[in-house]
Amino acid sequence: MEVIFVLCSVVILYTYLGYGFVIFILVKLRRSDRPSEGHSYFPTVSLIIPFHNERLGLRSKIENTLNLDYPPDKLEIIFVSDGSDDGSERIPLEYSSIKAVFIPRRGGKIAAMKKAAAMASGEILVFSDANTSLNIEAIQELTIPYRDLRVGGVTGEKRIITLQSDGASSKGEGIYWKYESFLKKYDSYYYTLVGGDGGLMSFRRVLLDDIPDDTILDDFMLTMRMAEKGYLVKYTPLAKALEFSSSSVNEEMKRKIRIAAGGWQSIVRLRRAINPFHDLTLSFQYVSHRVLRWAVVPFLLPLVFLLNHVLVFASHHQVWVFLLMIQYCFYGLALLGYLMRNRPVKVPGFFVPYYFFVMNYCAVLGFFRWFRGRQAVTWQRAERANEKGL
């Protein structure tokens, strides 16, 4: 029992702390692929933005897109409405410089992306979400790594906009994405990214896989399929996608449960990525960064908590009491975060235990939703912090 407890604890610590340290050291110990510099490479680009019922922020997104710094004769902009019925489907028609596509029957994000990709003319396809704002150099920065013919995909950095008055959702998600961005950067330096973010990702059009329309995590699956085929997926933090966090923890949980269900679907389908005999380095990164976090640790946490109680009563060694007290303190802080979730707290990292608990709780719920086949491919739009009360 002691061995099981120690092994489970090691896996948990490795997943959330150890892997970041390991990948950082590996990059420092060997010559790794660092991002190239310069802006002399301008391939033709098709920027595709699928959306559903984004009436509140779509005009802002369109204006942001039109202000991007990239040669106009090299940039094609396509907005595709996936069954919108709030009037937002008519907004792109007001702008003559963009292509507007309307799909009357909702089919999901990946179906909308395919529709737009089929009519795109660019060498590079860039996908962005309607609720994100891109920095002016985003497209320039995304295209630079494509000078390397080994690169099949490039993604940008997701940044969460947080305000001093924000509660648990904004503060927790903001800290999470800072750490996630660190891991993405060093994954890319070491070998390849293991999963992009739909806020800003790109691919060589000729290499893009035709993934099934029932795919839940389109951004993750597209980047991983590229990696499975032997192409590199790179990360450029100078291309930024900024977005507000969910307006509340309940809204954030909708996203997290869907992501977890999609994670399980992806694990079942990405058989080459998890196979060390196909690509040992890819498998190491994929399992360490994704599989353990989605499919293993959420179930180990309650097991370790229960085993610790048994070891305290079965053994007189004080180390088990000490470890149990640490767990009680951590979950106590999570409970305190729950009680303060809608209030602004200025203490840095205050909401991390609560956000960690919610994230893993959603992962368990997501597993059961996937197992029962109840996760729809169409996404339910989450209210953002800047939209609260509108």
Side-chain angles (χ1 to χ4, degrees), residues 24-195:
F24 176 81
I25 296 299
L26 288 175
V27 168
K28 296 299 182 182
L29 289 179
R30 80 172 199 180
R31 181 183 177 185
S32 304
D33 292 328
R34 296 303 181 99
S36 53
E37 297 180 355
H39 301 289
S40 60
Y41 180 59
F42 295 102
T44 56
V45 171
S46 293
L47 174 58
I48 297 170
I49 299 95
F51 67 93
H52 172 75
N53 287 357
E54 292 283 352
R55 180 177 53 84
L56 288 176
L58 194 60
R59 281 191 176 84
S60 176
K61 175 65 177 182
I62 292 175
E63 295 296 338
N64 171 250
T65 301
L66 294 175
N67 288 328
L68 294 173
D69 184 12
Y70 202 77
D73 60 325
K74 298 288 184 96
L75 180 61
E76 174 185 54
I77 302 172
I78 305 173
F79 277 76
V80 52
S81 170
D82 179 36
S84 297
D85 56 9
D86 67 341
S88 60
E89 69 276 9
R90 295 189 294 272
I91 294 176
L93 298 173
E94 302 171 9
Y95 299 82
S96 59
S97 55
I98 66 176
K99 293 183 179 180
V101 181
F102 175 58
I103 303 175
R105 184 175 181 181
R106 195 174 184 200
K109 186 178 178 182
I110 188 62
M113 291 166 65
K114 286 183 181 181
K115 179 78 171 180
M119 61 183 294
S121 60
E123 303 166 59
I124 307 299
L125 300 181
V126 178
F127 297 95
S128 180
D129 289 338
N131 65 325
T132 63
S133 178
L134 308 182
N135 62 319
I136 194 171
E137 307 91 355
I139 305 300
Q140 286 189 28
E141 297 295 340
L142 276 181
T143 57
I144 292 173
Y146 285 109
R147 292 188 296 189
D148 184 345
L149 296 179
R150 298 174 302 164
V151 174
V154 182
T155 74
E157 177 177 282
K158 176 178 178 178
R159 284 213 176 166
I160 301 299
I161 303 171
T162 58
L163 305 174
Q164 197 65 39
S165 58
D166 287 341
S169 179
S170 293
K171 296 292 179 63
E173 190 179 0
I175 293 173
Y176 167 79
W177 273 104
K178 286 179 181 178
Y179 182 59
E180 182 67 16
S181 296
F182 166 83
L183 292 180
K184 286 176 181 288
K185 180 171 69 172
Y186 280 91
D187 273 342
S188 178
Y189 285 172
Y190 183 63
Y191 182 48
T192 188
L193 208 64
V194 283

Side-chain angles (χ1 to χ4, degrees), residues 198-217:
L200 185 57
M201 62 180 183
S202 64
F203 306 93
R204 292 189 193 273
R205 183 163 60 94
V206 295
L207 299 177
L208 194 65
D209 254 14
D210 184 21
I211 63 175
D213 285 351
D214 67 344
T215 301
I216 300 170
L217 298 184

Side-chain angles (χ1 to χ4, degrees), residues 205-261:
R205 183 163 60 94
V206 295
L207 299 177
L208 194 65
D209 254 14
D210 184 21
I211 63 175
D213 285 351
D214 67 344
T215 301
I216 300 170
L217 298 184
D218 51 271
D219 46 5
F220 181 75
M221 282 295 294
L222 286 169
T223 49
M224 288 303 298
R225 286 297 190 200
M226 196 69 69
E228 280 190 330
K229 290 191 293 187
Y231 290 95
L232 301 177
V233 180
K234 291 301 179 180
Y235 173 75
T236 173
L238 295 179
K240 304 183 190 301
L242 290 82
E243 66 179 70
F244 286 90
S245 67
S246 302
S247 62
S248 67
V249 174
N250 288 337
E251 289 293 310
E252 180 65 9
M253 286 180 67
K254 295 178 186 177
R255 294 178 60 249
K256 291 297 183 186
I257 294 172
R258 184 177 188 277
I259 290 171

Side-chain angles (χ1 to χ4, degrees), residues 135 189 209 264 284 294 341 343:
N135 62 319
Y189 285 172
D209 254 14
W264 277 95
F284 158 67
W294 283 342
R341 64 191 181 280
R343 302 179 186 178

